[in-house]
């Protein structure tokens, strides 16, 4: 196990280098001057542009620029944005907010999705099964921004039950955006667990457990569920990574001051240092999440060994 | 002010008003201790007046600083704020007297030196400020801000200036300084209401980093706290000496991730003011049903034009430019596309300017099918006409309508070619790489007729991107700049506009009404002509 983890961590190095290089190139080497249009309809003074070019090493060849950036990064220095703010401070301020949102969404997704999946998987072709199938189809076919705006409009503006935007990012306030963010994946989780449950329901070990006279609650809860959850866990794990990076739409609609909004605004204002910094962190999170998911496999199914 | 907090609100106001000795009228029934929250975007630059040219930072600094002159919210006219008087005899040397007794928020006095030091710092090349070019008229600017020999992108660095101070600025005593310009410029006093001309306290020069984290101004509001990415909180500066004292206490500038989310908050009365409603609210006049009498509307200082690349044939053909201009049905487009929130333009100067004269563009800006066709025939051009614009600011719809209008009137192939981002578009404009005529807009830096002509149409001017040139027009501008009085100058600028009109250097399209919204907590909230909330007018119920 220890060797496996070590090997995986070492594998992360080339992946990390490759992705950060691509991000860096995409942000800084795209055609177009990053300081154009920064001073409104009039041009920025030359002294301003050359000072900024110097700060971001834009006059060096691309590889040298990247090497310098990487060097700073390894020392934990994410650099400064054009507004003179520490990129690392901004990441430290926004990441916990998005993490909270992602965890709320993950809990919503896991609890509702798995429950719906188990219920419908156990009652093949019953009313509940059809209900789950139809409602998940409905959810899958609506994009998140539609769900978000409809929820905001109906519950926030027309019925006045919730605040239309998040005033402070506490767990309680994040429930509604969490629901919206989770809605799509919730449907996938329900379908995934349904398929897996109805398949394993007829497996030998379930029949054996039932024949031994174990109560059905235990058969389903321990024997059936544990095996059926393996694909679901994979999905949930990678989804947490996706939530962290892909909450742009939800955060925008509900005004959550998280990572998604930070990346989006930085792209709009061409704040390259911020974009590369945040996305680099997101790459790391993704890599760690996949590692965690792989390790969870062994916990769920002892037959899976990593040696 | 801890004592004031203990007494009832109305009494507190009386104490403050009496303390300042001003005969200020107490707004009846207003809550003068209230706090309001207004929309903002995250400032893109460090919070220093000389380095802030975008709106997110300007909204913060505007409330925190008071310059020599400020622009009146009703008609955009400059009035003395910190200046006691600004005098000149030759439009070249200006003597500025400032009002004594003003202090910065840290208690240090605002003196002539505060202005001179701030201006010198902003203009000094190595400080790399965004606002440096605003000081280019002052004598000695070239010495503190030398040009980069091979342009900003080149490997060579601009030489380090030998001096740090402009020779045109002299402190006479604590309350007086003299400005000498390199050329006579009669409207100079009008230009200095822009925020890059704000004074800076000693504390800024001692520790710039600390200042950026907690700016110290001399305006009606002082800095309270900032949560980057969330909000900036300001609070009333009770020792403020200016006339524009706010009628409420706390001002929170809240950063929104999107305009749409801010609009939802505005509708739900969670947000008190938003200056420009998002497109989804403007579509089909949805804001009227959402906001009702909470809509705030006024004509603001921006104009939409179509510019010509004079370096690219056939756009250097004057008859073609006239034909295109006369082929655009401004009336119909403003009604159909903008539902009346734009007003057709009849000249190059904005109607809100002092001295504005209607109809300066004459026939050339009036839709006239016969005349347009006639001019088009004279031009001898038969090829395609291309209109370029970025589409990230909601420009696609009208640009297509304009192209269609030209196409239908002249019977020529006219096409709109979109460009995705404002930055990319500006870059091509600056590099003189336009492949057709293109969208141009102008928002006044300062409210003077001069600002609508010189920077845009004088030969070699900073924003004359199309490379238009007319020696007679340039000469008239120079004459106006030398004029001894503002009235005389206005007259000469209008003459210059008439000289330029037959050339149709750009096509004036329309000026704009800005539509804003307020919460029902605000009794009064007005927009000023620069598209921002006039904080002085705000009264909380």
């Amino acid at each position: 196990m220890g060797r496996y983890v070590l090997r995986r961590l070492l594998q992360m190095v080339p992946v990390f280098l490759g992705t950060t290089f691509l991000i860096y190139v995409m942000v800084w080497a795209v055609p177009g001057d990053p300081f154009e249009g920064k001073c409104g309809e009039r041009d920025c003074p030359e002294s301003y542009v050359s000072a900024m070019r110097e700060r971001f090493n834009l006059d060096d060849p691309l590889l040298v620029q990247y090497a310098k950036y990487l060097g700073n990064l390894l020392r934990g220095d994410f650099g400064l944005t054009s507004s003179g703010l520490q990129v690392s401070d901004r990441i430290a301020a926004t990441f916990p907010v998005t993490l909270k949102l992602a965890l709320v969404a993950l809990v919503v997704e896991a609890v509702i999705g798995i429950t719906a999946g188990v219920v419908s998987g156990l009652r093949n072709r019953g009313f509940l099964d059809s209900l789950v199938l139809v409602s998940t189809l409905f959810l899958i076919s609506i994009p998140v921004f539609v769900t978000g705006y409809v929820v905001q409009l109906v519950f926030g503006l027309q019925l006045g039950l919730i605040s239309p935007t998040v005033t402070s990012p506490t767990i309680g306030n994040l429930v509604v955006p969490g629901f919206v963010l989770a809605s799509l994946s919730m449907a996938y989780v329900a379908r995934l667990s349904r398929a897996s449950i109805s398949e394993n329901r007829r497996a030998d070990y379930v029949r054996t457990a039932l024949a031994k006279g174990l109560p059905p609650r235990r058969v389903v809860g321990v024997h059936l569920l544990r095996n059926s959850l393996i694909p679901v866990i994979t999905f949930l794990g990678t989804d947490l990574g996706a939530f962290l990076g892909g909450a742009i739409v939800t955060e925008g609609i509900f005004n959550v001051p998280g990572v998604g909004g930070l990346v989006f605004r930085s792209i709009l204002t061409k704040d390259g240092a911020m974009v590369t910094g945040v996305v680099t962190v997101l790459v790391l999170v993704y890599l760690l999440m996949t590692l965690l998911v792989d390790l969870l496999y062994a916990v769920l199914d002892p037959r899976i060994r990593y040696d | 002010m801890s004592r004031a907090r203990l007494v009832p609100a109305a009494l507190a106001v009386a104490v403050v008003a009496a303390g300042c000795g001003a005969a200020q009228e107490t707004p009846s029934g207003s809550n003068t201790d209230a706090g309001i929250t207004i929309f903002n975007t995250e400032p893109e630059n460090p919070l220093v007046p000389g380095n802030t040219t975008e709106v997110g930072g300007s909204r913060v600094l505007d409330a925190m600083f008071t310059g020599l002159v400020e622009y009146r919210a009703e008609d955009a006219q400059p009035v003395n704020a910190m200046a006691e008087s600004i005098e000149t005899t030759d439009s070249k040397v200006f003597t500025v007297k400032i009002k004594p007794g003003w202090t910065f928020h840290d208690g240090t006095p605002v003196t002539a030196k505060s202005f001179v030091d701030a201006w010198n710092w902003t203009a000094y090349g190595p400080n790399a400020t965004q606002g440096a070019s605003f000081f280019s008229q002052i004598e000695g600017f070239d010495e503190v801000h030398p040009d980069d020999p091979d342009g900003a992108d080149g490997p060579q660095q601009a030489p380090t200036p030998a001096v740090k101070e402009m020779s045109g600025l002299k402190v006479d005593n604590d309350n007086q300084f003299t400005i000498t310009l390199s050329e006579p410029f009669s409207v100079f006093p009008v230009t200095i209401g822009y925020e890059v001309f704000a004074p800076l306290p000693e504390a800024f020069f001692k520790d710039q980093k600390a200042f950026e984290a907690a700016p110290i101004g001399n305006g009606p509001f002082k800095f309270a706290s900032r949560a980057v990415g969330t909000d900036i909180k300001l609070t009333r500066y009770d020792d403020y000496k200016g006339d524009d004292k706010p009628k409420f206490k706390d001002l929170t500038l809240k950063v929104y991730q999107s305009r749409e989310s801010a609009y939802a908050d505005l509708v739900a009365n969670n947000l008190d003011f938003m200056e420009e409603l998002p497109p989804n609210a403007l579509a089909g006049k949805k804001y009227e049903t959402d906001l009702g009498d909470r809509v705030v509307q006024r004509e603001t200082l921006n104009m939409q034009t179509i510019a010509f690349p004079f370096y690219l044939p056939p756009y250097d053909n004057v008859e073609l430019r006239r034909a295109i201009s006369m082929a655009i049905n401004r009336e119909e487009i403003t009604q159909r596309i903008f539902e009346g929130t734009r007003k057709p333009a009849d000249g190059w100067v904005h109607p809100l300017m002092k001295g504005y004269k209607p109809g300066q563009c004459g026939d050339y800006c009036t839709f006239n099918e016969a005349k347009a066709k006639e001019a088009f025939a004279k031009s001898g051009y038969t090829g395609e006409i291309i209109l370029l614009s970025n589409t990230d600011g909601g420009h696609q719809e009208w640009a297509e309508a304009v192209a269609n209008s030209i196409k239908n009137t002249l019977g020529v192939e006219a096409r709109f070619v979109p460009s995705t981002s404002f930055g990319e578009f500006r870059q091509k404009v600056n590099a003189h790489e336009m492949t057709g005529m293109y969208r141009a807009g102008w928002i006044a830096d300062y409210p003077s007729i001069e600002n609508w002509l010189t920077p845009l149409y004088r030969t070699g001017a900073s924003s004359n991107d199309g490379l238009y040139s007319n020696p007679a027009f340039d000469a008239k501008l120079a004459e106006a700049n030398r004029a001894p009085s503002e009235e005389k100058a206005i007259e000469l600028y209008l003459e210059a506009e008439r000289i330029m009109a037959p050339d149709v250097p750009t096509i004036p399209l329309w000026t704009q009404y800005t539509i804003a919204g307020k919460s029902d907590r605000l009794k009064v909230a007005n927009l000023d002509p620069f598209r921002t909330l006039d904080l002085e007018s705000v009264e909380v119920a």
Side-chain angles (χ1 to χ4, degrees):
Chain A
M1 190 73 158
R3 283 189 52 187
Y4 173 76
V5 174
L6 193 69
R7 205 169 64 222
R8 279 292 298 269
L9 286 175
L10 283 178
Q11 278 171 4
M12 280 186 189
V13 176
V15 177
F16 177 75
L17 288 178
T19 43
T20 49
F21 180 70
L22 279 180
I23 297 158
Y24 192 87
V25 171
M26 283 192 279
V27 169
W28 288 114
V30 285
D33 189 330
F35 306 109
E36 209 60 72
K38 243 194 132 65
C39 304
E41 297 269 354
R42 67 169 61 226
D43 295 349
C44 287
E46 270 182 18
S47 56
Y48 173 80
V49 177
S50 38
M52 283 295 156
R53 295 191 72 86
E54 174 129 355
R55 177 190 282 184
F56 297 114
N57 303 316
L58 293 186
D59 293 326
D60 293 330
L62 191 62
L63 278 174
V64 178
Q65 284 179 37
Y66 175 66
K68 282 185 179 169
Y69 179 75
L70 201 64
N72 287 335
L73 207 58
L74 292 180
R75 276 183 271 125
D77 179 10
F78 282 82
L80 290 174
T81 67
S82 57
S83 53
L85 299 168
Q86 286 280 352
V87 173
S88 45
D89 286 355
R90 298 294 300 123
I91 294 175
T94 53
F95 218 83
V97 175
T98 302
L99 190 65
K100 259 192 247 172
L101 177 65
L103 287 177
V104 170
L106 194 73
V107 170
V108 169
E109 172 184 7
V111 171
I112 300 185
I114 294 176
T115 314
V118 170
V119 168
S120 67
L122 291 178
R123 307 221 175 112
N124 234 341
R125 311 245 166 264
F127 169 73
L128 271 178
D129 187 27
S130 311
L131 183 72
V132 169
L133 280 179
V134 171
S135 55
T136 51
L137 181 70
F138 182 70
L139 278 181
I140 289 171
S141 47
I142 313 178
V144 175
F145 76 89
V146 175
T147 329
Y149 278 127
V150 168
V151 167
Q152 186 179 57
L153 184 71
V154 175
F155 295 101
L157 295 178
Q158 290 179 347
L159 300 177
L161 295 174
I162 54 165
S163 162
T165 64
V166 172
T167 39
S168 65
T170 57
I171 295 275
N173 286 342
L174 290 174
V175 170
V176 175
F179 246 97
V180 171
L181 184 58
S183 62
L184 185 63
S185 319
M186 190 162 78
Y188 282 118
V189 168
R191 295 201 149 198
L192 211 56
S193 35
R194 174 188 175 274
S196 167
I197 291 271
S198 58
E199 193 181 293
N200 287 337
R201 210 158 61 114
R202 288 183 289 275
D204 290 347
Y205 67 88
V206 175
R207 204 177 49 200
T208 311
L210 282 171
K212 278 202 300 187
L214 288 179
R217 184 179 291 270
R218 191 172 162 75
V219 175
V220 173
V222 178
H223 295 77
L224 184 56
L225 211 52
R226 185 163 162 175
N227 252 329
S228 310
L229 279 188
I230 292 178
V232 180
I233 291 286
T234 322
F235 185 81
L236 288 178
T238 47
D239 222 29
L240 182 62
F243 282 162
L244 283 173
I248 295 180
V249 175
T250 317
E251 287 184 1
I253 295 173
F254 292 100
N255 200 36
V256 181
V259 170
L262 182 65
V263 175
F264 184 61
R265 257 178 301 133
S266 310
I267 292 172
L268 284 187
T269 56
K270 300 209 177 62
D271 224 328
M274 187 73 90
V275 178
T276 31
V278 178
V279 180
T280 303
V281 172
L282 288 177
V283 168
L284 281 175
V285 169
Y286 236 98
L287 289 173
L288 288 173
M289 281 314 301
T290 41
L291 176 62
L292 195 69
V293 167
D294 287 354
L295 294 179
L296 265 181
Y297 279 175
V299 178
L300 285 172
D301 187 349
R303 284 173 303 177
I304 302 173
R305 298 242 178 276
Y306 301 114
D307 278 315
Chain B
M1 286 313 290
S2 59
R3 191 166 49 98
R5 226 177 286 139
L6 300 171
V7 293
L11 187 58
V13 174
V15 170
V16 171
C20 301
Q24 195 190 20
E25 209 174 308
T26 311
S28 56
S30 296
N31 181 357
T32 48
D33 272 347
I36 69 165
T37 304
I38 66 171
F39 170 85
N40 198 18
T41 48
E42 181 67 23
E44 285 179 36
N45 301 302
L47 291 171
V48 175
N51 202 7
T52 298
T53 51
E54 49 81 47
V55 286
S58 298
R59 271 195 209 103
V60 182
L61 296 176
D62 242 1
M64 290 187 57
F65 285 89
T66 298
L68 292 172
V69 300
E70 298 269 294
Y71 304 122
R72 263 202 309 241
E74 309 88 71
D75 55 2
Q77 278 311 298
V79 285
N80 286 347
M82 272 223 66
E84 184 97 55
S85 65
I86 301 172
E87 279 161 9
T88 182
T89 48
D90 55 0
S91 295
K92 188 164 191 253
V93 180
F94 293 84
T95 308
V96 183
K97 280 204 181 74
I98 63 169
K99 291 176 184 162
W102 282 56
T103 52
F104 285 106
H105 300 153
D106 62 353
T108 52
V110 187
T111 62
K113 195 168 177 296
S114 317
F115 282 96
V116 171
D117 286 352
W119 294 11
N120 277 327
W121 181 85
T122 307
Y124 186 59
N127 288 332
T129 59
Q130 290 195 354
S133 48
F134 286 93
F135 296 89
S136 56
Q137 272 135 351
I138 297 175
E139 195 174 79
F141 177 79
D142 300 345
E143 280 131 59
V144 298
H145 196 105
D147 282 339
D148 198 332
D150 53 358
D153 297 353
Q156 285 188 58
Q157 292 295 315
T160 309
V163 287
K164 282 193 142 183
E165 285 167 6
M166 290 181 277
S167 54
L169 293 179
K170 288 230 162 41
V171 179
D172 301 331
N173 57 46
D174 268 3
N175 294 323
Q176 184 180 316
F177 67 105
T178 318
I179 308 165
T180 310
L181 304 183
S182 43
E183 293 285 324
F185 185 42
S186 51
V187 292
F188 183 73
V190 182
T191 68
I192 55 179
Y194 195 58
E195 183 188 282
V196 297
F197 292 94
L200 287 171
E202 284 288 324
F204 170 79
F205 302 99
K206 284 200 189 106
D207 188 350
Q208 194 186 331
K209 278 273 159 273
F211 182 92
E212 284 169 11
I216 300 160
N218 65 333
F221 286 93
K222 64 179 180 201
F223 182 84
S225 65
R226 176 180 188 184
V228 177
T230 310
D231 59 25
I232 294 176
K233 288 191 163 75
L234 307 179
T235 181
R236 187 168 56 203
Y237 177 53
D238 288 318
D239 290 334
Y240 183 62
K241 299 281 191 296
D243 298 329
D244 52 336
K245 288 191 184 66
K247 305 183 192 85
F248 60 96
K249 192 155 190 286
D250 298 306
L251 176 66
T252 303
L253 297 117
K254 189 168 179 189
V255 174
Y256 276 91
Q257 314 287 325
S258 69
R259 276 178 184 279
E260 285 76 13
S261 63
Y263 181 70
D265 259 6
L266 180 73
V267 174
N269 278 312
N270 285 353
L271 178 71
D272 290 315
F273 195 84
M274 185 178 181
E275 285 135 18
E276 268 192 286
L277 304 183
N280 69 345
L282 297 177
K285 294 205 169 185
K286 185 168 170 288
Y287 62 90
E288 285 188 345
T289 42
D290 285 348
L291 296 173
D293 58 359
R294 295 196 274 140
V295 175
V296 178
Q297 198 181 131
R298 83 160 286 168
E299 190 175 15
T300 49
L301 278 180
N302 32 351
M303 187 187 284
Q304 193 70 252
T305 59
I306 294 176
F308 293 104
F310 280 79
Y311 46 84
L312 179 77
Y315 300 100
D316 52 355
N317 182 329
V318 64
E319 288 296 344
L320 179 70
R321 293 198 300 273
R322 290 174 183 170
I324 295 172
S325 180
M326 290 188 286
I328 299 170
N329 193 339
R330 295 168 180 74
E331 203 65 54
E332 192 183 340
I333 295 171
T334 49
Q335 286 307 321
R336 288 259 184 94
I337 310 259
F338 296 112
E339 313 200 32
T341 60
R342 302 287 191 281
K343 197 173 99 185
D346 60 357
W348 289 268
V349 169
H350 196 282
L352 287 179
M353 289 299 100
K354 183 178 176 186
Y356 158 81
K357 210 170 154 196
Q360 289 274 79
C361 180
D363 280 353
Y364 302 124
C365 291
T366 318
F367 176 63
N368 188 328
E369 218 171 328
K371 277 194 175 169
K373 278 192 175 135
E374 193 184 312
F376 187 61
K378 256 195 242 168
S379 78
Y381 181 69
T382 49
E384 192 183 39
I385 290 165
I386 286 173
L387 171 62
L388 301 142
S389 169
N390 56 316
T391 51
D392 51 353
H395 297 295
Q396 177 143 8
E397 290 77 10
W398 71 255
E400 277 171 353
V402 164
N404 277 331
S405 191
I406 297 168
K407 190 172 166 179
N408 296 337
T409 314
L410 301 180
V412 65
E413 193 53 48
R415 202 154 53 88
F416 164 61
V417 180
S419 159
T420 45
S421 80
F422 180 61
E424 183 203 336
F425 182 70
R426 282 302 310 170
Q427 192 182 12
K428 285 196 191 140
V429 170
N430 287 338
H432 309 296
E433 281 170 3
M434 297 319 272
T435 52
M437 55 183 194
Y438 55 95
R439 178 194 82 80
W442 189 250
I443 299 167
D445 294 320
Y446 45 86
S448 164
I449 291 183
E450 189 270 344
N451 192 242
W452 294 90
L453 301 173
T454 310
L456 294 165
Y457 308 113
R458 198 187 63 198
T459 309
S462 61
S463 294
N464 184 354
D465 302 315
L467 305 183
Y468 168 72
S469 174
N470 179 341
F473 170 73
D474 292 352
K476 192 53 91 179
L477 279 185
E479 196 186 332
N481 285 346
R482 282 193 306 269
S485 71
E486 201 192 351
E487 284 66 38
K488 185 73 194 149
I490 287 175
E491 219 171 273
L492 290 166
Y493 284 124
L494 288 174
E495 269 177 46
E497 189 188 10
R498 271 195 303 278
I499 292 174
M500 174 180 99
D503 289 345
V504 195
T506 64
I507 302 174
L509 291 176
W510 40 73
T511 56
Q512 190 176 336
Y513 286 94
T514 296
I515 294 170
K518 66 181 175 77
S519 72
D520 53 18
R521 291 178 60 227
L522 301 192
K523 279 205 306 196
V524 189
N526 295 330
L527 273 173
D528 68 20
F530 297 92
R531 291 204 287 191
T532 52
L533 171 63
D534 171 25
L535 288 168
E536 193 194 344
S537 74
V538 174
E539 284 179 38
V540 186

